């Protein structure tokens, strides 16, 4: 398979269960780069065995870590995947056909569609997990990730081309995995709010829960995915509410910021 002058970039931390599948699913790139933030499992060894160049970088937050990763690529065009994501033949074929034209143009980015597996099977109706559009291909001179600690996004000027075939995302293996991630993501988001001096507005928490649940369950069609749809709507709404509660606690008891940092560090949830 002829390689294209593109760098695949993956940021990792203890992704031994996923990294081989992710790297092996992208056979057409000239370079594979893994930016690892202190994995204690076999992530680094597996990545190197799969032909990836591994760069050690202490965790900077999602946005800054991705921007650092862009500087480590050998090529201007970059494909970004998370370790629990992978390509399949229909998208591989489409990318091989269309990427040369995209790269020869003045476009800044490519938009990929993501299909998510949840509780062991693909979601069929819930819109954020069926054909979600994400900017994952970009020219590093025309695009940059936001500096958010979590929920970063790619910002770019210029045109973007959308690809039809989806790539796949294996969602958190279990609800305990998800809840641990919720704790980490919520803490990072609250630190961003705290740095910006955002008012806590804890009175909004119950309303935020209700609005978020109904938005996902009804408007985003989670109701059509049965009990999995109910669960994913509840988890998302609980996360939205918990962030407000935790942020209120930061204001009410500033000592809780370092106390939470310590306990999350002990459990490997802050780095």
């Amino acid at each position: 398979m002829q390689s294209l002058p593109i760098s695949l970039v993956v940021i990792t931390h203890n992704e031994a269960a996923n990294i081989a599948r992710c790297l092996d699913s992208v056979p057409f790139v000239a370079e594979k780069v893994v930016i690892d933030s202190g994995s204690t499992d076999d992530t680094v060894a597996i990545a190197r065995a799969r032909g990836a160049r591994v760069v050690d970088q202490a965790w900077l937050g999602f946005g800054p870590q991705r921007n650092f990763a862009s500087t480590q690529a050998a090529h201007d065009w970059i494909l970004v995947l998370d370790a629990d994501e992978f390509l399949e033949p229909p998208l591989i074929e489409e990318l091989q056909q269309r990427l040369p034209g995209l790269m020869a143009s003045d476009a800044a980015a490519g938009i990929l569609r993501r299909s998510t597996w949840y509780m062991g099977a693909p979601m069929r109706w819930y819109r954020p997990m069926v054909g979600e559009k994400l900017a994952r291909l970009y020219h590093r001179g025309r695009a940059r990730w936001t500096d958010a600690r979590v929920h970063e996004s790619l910002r770019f000027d210029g045109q973007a081309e959308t690809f039809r075939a989806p790539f796949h995302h294996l969602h958190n293996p279990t609800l305990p995995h998800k809840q641990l991630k919720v704790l980490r993501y919520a803490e990072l988001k609250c630190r961003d709010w705290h740095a910006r001096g955002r008012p806590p507005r804890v009175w909004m928490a119950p309303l935020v829960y209700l609005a978020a649940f109904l938005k996902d369950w009804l408007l985003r069609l989670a109701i059509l995915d049965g009990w999995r749809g109910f669960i994913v709507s509840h988890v998302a709404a609980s996360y939205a509410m918990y962030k407000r509660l935790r942020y209120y606690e930061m204001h009410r008891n500033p000592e809780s910021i370092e106390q939470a940092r310590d306990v999350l560090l002990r459990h490997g949830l802050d780095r």
Side-chain angles (χ1 to χ4, degrees):
M1 184 176 293
Q2 184 176 1
S3 67
L4 296 172
I6 298 174
S7 296
L8 168 67
V9 173
V10 186
I11 60 174
T12 60
H13 179 77
N14 289 341
E15 292 287 356
N18 296 314
I19 190 61
R21 179 183 54 240
C22 174
L23 295 174
D24 290 349
S25 76
V26 190
F28 56 85
V29 296
E31 178 190 44
K32 300 177 182 181
V33 184
V34 168
I35 309 299
D36 188 75
S37 56
S39 290
T40 56
D41 62 7
D42 292 331
T43 298
V44 170
I46 294 170
R48 287 177 174 151
R50 288 307 199 276
R53 175 165 57 89
V54 178
V55 178
D56 295 322
Q57 172 58 51
W59 187 245
L60 302 170
F62 280 95
Q65 194 81 352
R66 293 201 191 277
N67 283 324
F68 170 81
S70 294
T71 70
Q72 301 303 299
H75 302 283
D76 285 334
W77 277 97
I78 295 172
L79 169 62
V80 169
L81 290 178
D82 291 337
D84 59 358
E85 298 171 341
F86 60 97
L87 309 187
E88 287 200 327
L91 180 56
I92 293 171
E93 182 178 352
E94 184 181 2
L95 288 169
Q96 285 183 293
Q97 291 175 353
R98 297 177 59 188
L99 276 176
L102 174 67
M103 296 167 65
S105 73
D106 294 329
I111 308 298
L112 303 183
R113 302 175 187 270
R114 183 170 72 174
S115 174
T116 296
W117 283 58
Y118 188 69
M119 293 189 171
M123 296 293 271
R124 299 298 185 188
W125 294 96
Y126 178 51
R127 305 323 300 165
M129 291 186 175
V130 179
E132 179 186 16
K133 294 182 179 180
L134 299 169
R136 291 299 188 85
L137 267 166
Y138 62 96
H139 187 291
R140 63 180 169 188
R142 305 166 192 162
R144 177 180 172 83
W145 295 92
T146 58
D147 287 326
R149 290 184 176 96
V150 68
H151 304 315
E152 74 287 2
S153 60
L154 187 69
R155 300 292 174 84
F156 55 89
D157 295 321
Q159 295 182 340
E161 187 169 333
T162 300
F163 293 80
R164 294 182 296 273
F167 70 101
H168 296 280
H169 174 215
L170 298 180
H171 202 267
N172 303 278
T174 67
L175 282 176
H177 286 82
K178 176 63 176 177
Q179 292 304 107
L180 290 173
K181 185 177 286 188
V182 162
L183 285 175
R184 181 182 176 219
Y185 282 14
E187 198 69 15
L188 293 174
K189 191 64 177 179
C190 289
R191 289 175 194 169
D192 275 347
W193 288 346
H194 191 266
R196 297 201 305 265
R198 171 175 165 157
R201 299 172 183 154
V202 69
W203 59 270
M204 292 182 63
L207 300 177
V208 165
Y209 175 90
L210 182 61
F213 179 84
L214 293 177
K215 178 182 179 181
D216 279 352
W217 198 49
L218 296 177
L219 299 181
R220 292 179 168 176
L221 304 183
I223 189 173
L224 299 179
D225 276 308
W227 283 113
R228 289 189 304 149
F230 175 85
I231 293 167
V232 78
S233 300
H234 165 71
V235 171
S238 296
Y239 169 62
M241 181 173 70
Y242 172 76
K243 284 186 295 185
R244 274 77 183 175
L245 303 182
R246 172 65 183 126
Y247 188 54
Y248 171 76
E249 182 183 36
M250 285 183 172
H251 276 261
R252 182 68 178 80
N253 179 20
E255 291 182 2
S256 71
I257 298 173
E258 289 305 316
Q259 291 170 340
R261 192 190 304 271
D262 289 343
V263 73
L264 290 172
L265 278 171
R266 287 201 301 272
H267 289 83
L269 299 176
D270 200 348
R271 55 186 195 276

